[in-house]
C-alpha cells in the first residue's frame, strides 16, 4: 500500500516535463522544427533541449533522440551547460523506463554541476526528480533529503506559492510513506491552498486524490472512492491517461480493502489496460500483483499464481529489483501454502539471491557514504578558505589601484606594482595549491585507512550471527542425542572461549567509529550519563544510517526488539515525540 501511495503523491507533481502532447504543445513542436535547421550554436542547442522536454512526457523514445543529439552537439561545441542538461534529461528518461539506480546515479553526478553553473531552477527541478527516483527505490530518508533541498532552492529563487505547491506535494508523499500522516497533511493543505488561489484545476485534482489516499489509510473507503472518482473524471476529460490509470488503480485498492472484490477487479483491469498501453512497467507490475492478491483472498489459487507470475515477468523485464524481490516472496508463499515444496524451494533460492545482492550493496553504499561525506566536508572547507583569500587579494588590488590613481602615481609605477601584485598572487596561489594537494593526499590516505578498518569491524559484528547459529545447532544436537553430550559440551566450551576472546572487537570498532565521528560515544555519554554500552552500540549503528532490519540482523534480535530499544534510547536522551532520533544523532 505504501508503494502505491508514493506513486500518487510523488509522480503527481513531476512537473519538470510535459505530460501530454496537446494542441498547444504540437504547435510549439512544429514551430521549433521549422527553424532548428537554420540555427547554430547555443541557440540550436536550446531548441534541441525544448523538443526533448516537449516529447518526454508522452513520447520518451522520440525525446531521447533529441537528447542524444543535444549531448553530441554540446560536446562538439564544448558547451558545459547543455551537456549537463542533456544528462539530467537522460536521468528522467531512465526513471521513466524504470532503470531507477542508473537514474539516481546520473542525478547525483550532475546536480552539483548544475549548481556550479548557477542554474537555480534546473537544480530545484533535478533535486525534485531525484527524490522521486529515491522514493521508488524505497530510500525514504534520501528522498526526503532531496525533496527538502528542492524546496529550499525554489524558495531561494522566490518561486510563487503555486510553483512551491509542487514541492509541498512531493514532501507530503515522503512523509506519508514514513508513517508521518500529520506532517503529510500539513504539506498537502499548503499545496491545496496554493492551487485553489491560482485556480489550477489539474494540480488541485491531484491534491484531492492524495487526500483520498489518507482517507483510504484511515479506512474511510466510501469517502476515498468518491474523491478518486472525482479526480478520475477530470483526468479523463483532459486526456491525462497516466493520471487516469493511477486513479482507477486506487479505486480498485479501496474496493479491495473494503472486501468488495468484484468491483476491485473491474477497476484494476481498467487501470491495467491503460498502464499496458502507455508502457508504465512499475504500475503494470503492481496491478498484476494486486489482482493476484484479490484472487488469493477469493481462494482462487490458480488465478493468484498466474497474476503473481505476470507481475514478476514485468519486473524482471524492467529490472525492478524490489518488485522482483516481492514477486519471488509472494510465489514462494503460494507454493508453500499449497505444499508444493519443490517449487517453493526454487523460488525461495531466487528470493535469497536477489535479497543478498540488494542488502550487501546497500550496506556497503551506506558505509562508503559516511567516509565520502567526511572527506567532502574537509575539501569544501579548504575550498571556501581559498575563495576567501582570493576575495581578499582582489579587494587589496582594487584598493591599491584606487590609491595610486588618487595620488597621481605614474603609469609606469602603476604597471610595475600591478605586475608585482599579480606575480605575488600567482605565486601564493601556486603555493596554496601545492599545500592543498598535499593536505588532501594525507587526508585521503587517512580516511581510506579508517574506512577499511571501520568496514572490517562492521562486517565482523555481522559475522557474530554465524557463531550464535552454530551454538544453537550444537545445542539442538545435544537435545536430540544426549549420548553426544560430552563431545558437544567440549565443543561448546571452545566456541565460547573463542567468542569471548573476540569481544574486544567491539572496543576496536568503537575506537575507529569515534575517530571518524568526532568522539561520538563521549558526546552521547555527556548527554545521558546512565546510558549503557548496548545503547551506545545501538546509537552508533543509527548514526551510520543502518536500517532497523540491518541492526536486527547484526544484533541477532527481532526488528521489534530494535524498535523498542530505539524508543528507550529516545526516552533516555530526553527527546520529545516530535524529535527524530536519527536526525538528533546525526547532528552530534
Amino acid at each position: 500500500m505504501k508503494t502505491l501511495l508514493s506513486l500518487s503523491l510523488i509522480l503527481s507533481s513531476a512537473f519538470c516535463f510535459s505530460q501530454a502532447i496537446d494542441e498547444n504543445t504540437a504547435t510549439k513542436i512544429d514551430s521549433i522544427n521549422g527553424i532548428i535547421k537554420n540555427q547554430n550554436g547555443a541557440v540550436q542547442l536550446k531548441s534541441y533541449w525544448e523538443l526533448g522536454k516537449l516529447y518526454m512526457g508522452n513520447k520518451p523514445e522520440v525525446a531521447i533522440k533529441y537528447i542524444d543529439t543535444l549531448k553530441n552537439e554540446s560536446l562538439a561545441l564544448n558547451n558545459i551547460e547543455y551537456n549537463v542538461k542533456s544528462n539530467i534529461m537522460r536521468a528522467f528518461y531512465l526513471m521513466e523506463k524504470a532503470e531507477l539506480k542508473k537514474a539516481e546515479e546520473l542525478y547525483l553526478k550532475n546536480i552539483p554541476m548544475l549548481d556550479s553553473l548557477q542554474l537555480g531552477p534546473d537544480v530545484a527541478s533535478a533535486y525534485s526528480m531525484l527524490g522521486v527516483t529515491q522514493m521508488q527505490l524505497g530510500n525514504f530518508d534520501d528522498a526526503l533529503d532531496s525533496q527538502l533541498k528542492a524546496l529550499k532552492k525554489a524558495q531561494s529563487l522566490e518561486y510563487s506559492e503555486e510553483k512551491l505547491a509542487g514541492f509541498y506535494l512531493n514532501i507530503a508523499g515522503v512523509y506519508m510513506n514514513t508513517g508521518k500522516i500529520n506532517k503529510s497533511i500539513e504539506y498537502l493543505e499548503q499545496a491545496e491552498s496554493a492551487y485553489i488561489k491560482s485556480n489550477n484545476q489539474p494540480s488541485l485534482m491531484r491534491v484531492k486524490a492524495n487526500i483520498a489516499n489518507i482517507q483510504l489509510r484511515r479506512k474511510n473507503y466510501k469517502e476515498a472512492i468518491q474523491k478518486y472518482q472525482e479526480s478520475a473524471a477530470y483526468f479523463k476529460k483532459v486526456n491525462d491517461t497516466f493520471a487516469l490509470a493511477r486513479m482507477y488503480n486506487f479505486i480498485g485498492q479501496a474496493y479491495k480493502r473494503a472486501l468488495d472484490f468484484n468491483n476491485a477487479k473491474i477497476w484494476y483491469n481498467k487501470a491495467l489496460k491503460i498502464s499496458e498501453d502507455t508502457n508504465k512497467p512499475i504500475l503494470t507490475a503492481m496491478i498484476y500483483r494486486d489482482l493476484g492478491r484479490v484472487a488469493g483472498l477469493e481462494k482462487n489459487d490458480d488465478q493468484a499464481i498466474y497474476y503473481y507470475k505476470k507481475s514478476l515477468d514485468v519486473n524482471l523485464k524492467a529490472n525492478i529489483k524490489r518488485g522482483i524481490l516481492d514477486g519471488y516472496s509472494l510465489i514462494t508463499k503460494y507454493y508453500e501454502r499449497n505444499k508444493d515444496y519443490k517449487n517453493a524451494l526454487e523460488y525461495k533460492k531466487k528470493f535469497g539471491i536477489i535479497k543478498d545482492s540488494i542488502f550487501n550493496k546497500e550496506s556497503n553504499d551506506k558505509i562508503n557514504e559516511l567516509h565520502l561525506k567526511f572527506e567532502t566536508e574537509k575539501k569544501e572547507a579548504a575550498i571556501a578558505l581559498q575563495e576567501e583569500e582570493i576575495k581578499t587579494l582582489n579587494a587589496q588590488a582594487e584598493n591599491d589601484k584606487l590609491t595610486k590613481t588618487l595620488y597621481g602615481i605614474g603609469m609606469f609605477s602603476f604597471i610595475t606594482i600591478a605586475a608585482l601584485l599579480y606575480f605575488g598572487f600567482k605565486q601564493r596561489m601556486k603555493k596554496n595549491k601545492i599545500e592543498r594537494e598535499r593536505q588532501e593526499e594525507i587526508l585521503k590516505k587517512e580516511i581510506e585507512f579508517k574506512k577499511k578498518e571501520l568496514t572490517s569491524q562492521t562486517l565482523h559484528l555481522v559475522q557474530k550471527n554465524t557463531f550464535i547459529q552454530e551454538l544453537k545447532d550444537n545445542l539442538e544436537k545435544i537435545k536430540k542425542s544426549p549420548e553426544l553430550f560430552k563431545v558437544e559440551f567440549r565443543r561448546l566450551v571452545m566456541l565460547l572461549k573463542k567468542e569471548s576472546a573476540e569481544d574486544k572487537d567491539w572496543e576496536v570498532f568503537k575506537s575507529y567509529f569515534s575517530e571518524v565521528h568526532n568522539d561520538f560515544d563521549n558526546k552521547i555519554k555527556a548527554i545521558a550519563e546512565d546510558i549503557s554500552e548496548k545503547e551506545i552500540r545501538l546509537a552508533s549503528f543509527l548514526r551510520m544510517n543502518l536500517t532497523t532490519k540491518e541492526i536486527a540482523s547484526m544484533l541477532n534480535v527481532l526488528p521489534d526488539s530494535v524498535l523498542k530499544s530505539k524508543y528507550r534510547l529516545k526516552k533516555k536522551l530526553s527527546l520529545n515525540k516530535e524529535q527524530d532520533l536519527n536526525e538528533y544523532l546525526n547532528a552530534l
Side-chain angles (χ1 to χ4, degrees):
M1 187 61 195
K2 283 187 177 182
T3 305
L4 287 168
L5 290 174
S6 72
L7 284 173
S8 172
L9 289 164
I10 296 297
L11 293 184
S12 62
S13 59
F15 47 83
C16 297
F17 310 112
S18 299
Q19 294 299 306
I21 298 181
D22 53 22
E23 185 177 346
N24 186 42
T25 303
T27 301
K28 289 181 181 178
I29 290 173
D30 291 340
S31 175
I32 295 173
N33 279 323
I35 61 174
I36 194 170
K37 292 181 180 180
N38 298 322
Q39 295 175 328
N40 53 53
V43 176
Q44 189 180 55
L45 295 180
K46 183 179 180 181
S47 293
Y48 284 128
W49 164 250
E50 291 294 336
L51 286 170
K53 285 198 300 181
L54 292 168
Y55 275 115
M56 185 59 76
N58 191 265
K59 296 182 178 180
E61 300 303 333
V62 176
I64 201 62
K65 293 179 181 179
Y66 285 108
I67 298 310
D68 288 340
T69 303
L70 174 64
K71 176 75 173 178
N72 295 332
E73 292 297 321
S74 63
L75 287 171
L77 295 170
N78 196 26
N79 189 304
I80 299 174
E81 176 182 342
Y82 281 104
N83 182 25
V84 176
K85 283 187 173 183
S86 69
N87 292 334
I88 292 294
M89 183 75 86
R90 175 165 286 278
F92 184 85
Y93 171 78
L94 291 170
M95 189 184 74
E96 284 284 284
K97 306 306 287 184
E99 296 184 44
L100 302 175
K101 200 61 186 176
K102 290 182 180 178
E104 182 187 34
E105 291 171 358
L106 206 53
Y107 279 128
L108 289 171
K109 182 178 179 181
N110 285 275
I111 288 175
M113 289 188 278
L114 281 177
D115 205 11
S116 67
L117 292 168
Q118 297 183 346
L119 301 174
D122 293 301
V123 173
S125 178
Y127 267 129
S128 177
M129 298 316 301
L130 171 61
V132 172
T133 306
Q134 292 165 332
M135 174 66 80
Q136 293 183 17
L137 285 167
N139 303 333
F140 298 134
D141 290 342
D142 292 338
L144 180 59
D145 181 60
S146 296
Q147 296 298 352
L148 289 173
K149 285 178 179 176
L151 176 60
K152 184 177 179 181
K153 175 60 72 172
Q155 288 172 331
S156 72
L157 296 169
E158 299 182 351
Y159 275 17
S160 67
E161 275 299 304
E162 181 181 3
K163 281 190 174 183
L164 290 177
F167 298 98
Y168 297 150
L169 196 56
N170 285 358
I171 296 169
V174 182
Y175 278 126
M176 171 69 77
N177 280 277
T178 54
K180 297 179 180 179
I181 305 301
N182 290 335
K183 291 291 290 184
S184 180
I185 292 173
E186 176 187 330
Y187 280 96
L188 281 174
E189 288 177 344
Q190 290 185 62
E192 184 180 31
S193 175
Y195 289 140
I196 288 173
K197 289 178 182 177
S198 61
N199 195 29
N200 186 332
Q201 287 299 310
S203 298
L204 182 60
M205 285 298 169
R206 289 188 170 96
V207 174
K208 288 183 179 297
N210 294 328
I211 294 173
N213 286 335
I214 295 174
Q215 296 284 10
L216 186 60
R217 292 192 69 163
R218 292 176 171 174
K219 300 183 180 180
N220 298 328
Y221 303 127
K222 184 177 180 181
E223 293 85 346
I225 289 169
Q226 182 180 350
K227 288 187 178 296
Y228 286 140
Q229 289 179 333
E230 288 174 4
S231 296
Y234 175 81
F235 293 132
K236 185 175 183 179
K237 179 181 178 182
V238 298
N239 197 32
D240 190 339
T241 55
F242 184 48
L244 179 63
R246 286 188 290 112
M247 290 308 104
Y248 286 168
N249 186 51
F250 284 122
I251 294 171
Q253 275 286 336
Y255 276 118
K256 186 192 80 172
R257 297 187 70 184
L259 304 182
D260 185 347
F261 300 135
N262 288 332
N263 273 316
K265 288 186 286 186
I266 290 171
W267 289 100
Y268 277 143
N269 281 302
K270 285 184 177 182
L272 181 63
K273 186 178 187 309
I274 298 173
S275 179
E276 288 181 326
D277 290 345
T278 54
N279 190 26
K280 302 296 181 183
I282 294 177
L283 184 57
T284 301
M286 286 194 297
I287 296 170
Y288 275 129
R289 180 200 64 192
D290 290 333
L291 281 167
R293 285 175 172 166
V294 170
L297 291 169
E298 292 181 318
K299 308 298 182 183
N300 190 339
D301 288 344
D302 290 341
Q303 196 172 58
I305 195 65
Y306 167 78
Y307 283 126
Y308 288 152
K309 287 185 176 181
K310 288 283 288 184
S311 175
L312 179 60
D313 288 343
V314 175
N315 282 317
L316 285 168
K317 186 176 179 181
N319 195 29
I320 306 169
K321 289 191 175 180
R322 293 189 180 275
I324 296 170
L325 190 68
D326 187 36
Y328 285 145
S329 175
L330 287 169
I331 295 172
T332 298
K333 290 176 182 177
Y334 166 83
Y335 281 126
E336 286 177 347
R337 188 170 61 252
N338 287 276
K339 298 182 180 180
D340 184 350
Y341 299 116
K342 181 180 178 181
N343 277 317
L345 180 60
E346 177 186 348
Y347 280 94
K348 185 70 173 179
K349 287 179 180 178
K350 292 177 179 179
F351 174 84
I353 292 170
I354 192 71
K355 181 181 179 182
D356 289 343
S357 70
I358 294 173
F359 175 78
N360 291 337
K361 188 174 188 310
E362 289 181 352
S363 295
N364 289 334
D365 286 346
K366 285 183 181 294
I367 293 170
N368 292 335
E369 184 183 357
L370 291 172
H371 302 289
L372 180 62
K373 286 182 177 178
F374 180 78
E375 187 175 357
T376 301
E377 287 173 0
K378 291 284 187 181
K379 289 183 178 179
E380 286 177 349
I383 292 170
L385 179 62
Q386 191 67 34
E387 289 177 348
E388 190 62 34
E389 289 179 351
I390 292 171
K391 288 180 182 178
T392 302
L393 287 171
N394 286 336
Q396 182 181 343
E398 288 296 321
N399 288 335
D400 286 345
K401 178 181 177 181
L402 178 60
T403 302
K404 291 173 181 59
T405 301
L406 292 173
Y407 287 93
I409 297 176
M411 183 61 71
F412 178 79
S413 298
F414 170 74
I415 294 173
T416 302
I417 294 172
L420 288 172
L421 285 172
Y422 179 74
F423 177 76
F425 170 76
K426 293 291 286 184
Q427 288 296 105
R428 187 172 181 181
M429 288 289 290
K430 183 177 180 181
K431 181 179 179 181
N432 286 342
K433 181 180 178 183
I434 293 170
E435 180 62 22
R436 185 173 69 252
E437 289 175 350
R438 187 179 72 84
Q439 291 295 331
E440 286 178 355
E441 185 63 27
I442 293 172
L443 177 62
K444 183 178 179 182
K445 291 179 180 178
E446 181 181 348
I447 293 299
E448 187 64 26
F449 172 75
K450 290 179 180 177
K451 172 182 175 181
K452 290 179 180 178
E453 292 298 327
L454 182 56
T455 303
S456 175
Q457 293 302 319
T458 303
L459 293 176
H460 175 72
L461 290 175
V462 176
Q463 290 167 356
K464 283 182 178 287
N465 288 337
T466 304
F467 161 75
I468 293 170
Q469 188 59 48
E470 189 173 352
L471 188 61
K472 287 180 179 178
D473 292 342
N474 284 322
L475 289 172
E476 286 294 330
K477 287 181 182 178
I478 293 173
K479 180 180 177 182
K480 294 178 180 179
S481 303
E483 62 274 8
L484 297 176
F485 176 78
K486 289 185 179 180
V487 176
E488 293 299 329
F489 181 76
R490 188 179 302 121
R491 181 177 174 83
L492 288 174
V493 171
M494 290 176 66
L495 282 172
L496 289 169
K497 285 182 178 180
K498 178 183 176 183
E499 183 62 17
S500 176
E502 292 178 352
D503 282 345
K504 63 182 182 180
D505 291 330
W506 164 245
E507 294 301 325
V508 176
F509 170 85
K510 188 166 66 173
S511 172
Y512 284 112
F513 186 87
S514 294
E515 288 184 36
V516 174
H517 294 284
N518 299 322
D519 214 14
F520 178 78
D521 56 336
N522 287 334
K523 287 182 179 179
I524 201 167
K525 283 179 181 178
I527 297 168
E529 295 181 358
D530 59 338
I531 195 167
S532 67
E533 195 67 21
K534 287 184 178 179
E535 289 168 331
I536 292 176
R537 187 178 305 190
L538 173 62
S540 299
F541 291 151
L542 291 173
R543 181 67 175 80
M544 291 177 70
N545 291 326
L546 297 180
T547 67
T548 298
K549 288 184 179 179
E550 291 168 343
I551 295 172
S553 175
M554 293 174 72
L555 299 179
N556 198 37
V557 297
L558 293 174
D560 285 347
S561 179
V562 175
L563 291 173
K564 290 176 182 177
S565 298
K566 287 170 69 176
Y567 173 77
R568 288 193 294 270
L569 177 59
K570 186 173 181 179
K571 191 173 182 181
K572 186 163 286 189
L573 294 174
S574 301
L575 301 180
N576 58 43
K577 292 182 180 180
E578 298 300 322
Q579 287 181 281
D580 185 84
L581 178 58
N582 288 61
E583 290 180 1
Y584 179 80
L585 293 173
N586 285 332
L588 291 180

